[in-house]
Amino acid sequence: IIDRSGFNRKVYAANFLKTMREKAARLHARFPAARKAFSLETLAKIDTLGELDDNIIAPLFGFKDRWDYYRQSDSLPYLPKIQVPHYLLVAADDPFFCPHTLPGAADVACGTVRIDYSPLGGHCGFVES
């Protein structure tokens, strides 16, 4: 879903990729570990956020690939362990997440997390349509 065509890819992802390419190039220049993790040639060819995660983020931080990065970075397993009251507002149209991966009532059965769903809201308030 993160790399689907349309407004998200043309506007949000394009702007985000631009800033991430600049940051990755600075890392590459400053740190030998970054130079070992990826090449500037690879960086220049990246066209999607998924490609960025596969070719820059995953190798730089020791993940096998983007799917390993997503799995290990997932906060869902931690929701039931939250002990301090939290409010979680989830936008169903977040372009970064498939709807079936969003937390549900069973994920917050601990009682300390209140979850509400909005049909719109995008990613961090970035609305697609």
Side-chain angles (χ1 to χ4, degrees):
I1 200 164
I2 196 171
D3 289 332
R4 71 177 181 219
S5 62
F7 184 82
N8 176 58
R9 182 151 178 209
K10 289 179 185 172
V11 178
Y12 181 79
N15 288 322
F16 187 67
L17 272 173
K18 180 179 184 261
T19 65
M20 290 303 292
R21 278 192 205 100
E22 292 166 358
K23 290 175 187 175
R26 286 195 302 270
L27 281 173
H28 193 274
R30 288 187 64 196
F31 299 105
R35 290 190 290 277
K36 288 180 183 177
F38 64 91
S39 70
L40 292 178
E41 292 79 19
T42 297
L43 181 61
K45 294 176 185 176
I46 290 174
D47 190 42
T48 68
L49 294 175
E51 290 172 3
L52 177 82
D53 288 342
D54 256 334
N55 295 287
I56 307 298
I57 302 300
L60 186 59
F61 294 102
F63 298 102
K64 186 177 86 174
D65 55 28
R66 70 173 147 172
W67 302 110
D68 183 43
Y69 163 55
Y70 299 160
R71 184 183 53 77
Q72 291 193 51
S73 301
D74 188 359
S75 62
L76 194 61
Y78 298 97
L79 291 178
K81 299 174 185 175
I82 293 176
Q83 297 178 7
V84 177
H86 276 66
Y87 176 68
L88 186 61
L89 178 61
V90 179
D93 68 340
D94 188 328
F96 275 43
F97 302 99
C98 295
H100 73 276
T101 67
L102 298 175
D107 299 311
V108 296
C110 59
T112 57
V113 179
R114 177 181 159 204
I115 187 166
D116 286 324
Y117 301 90
S118 170
L120 302 174
H123 187 73
C124 296
F126 188 88
V127 180
E128 185 169 346
S129 56

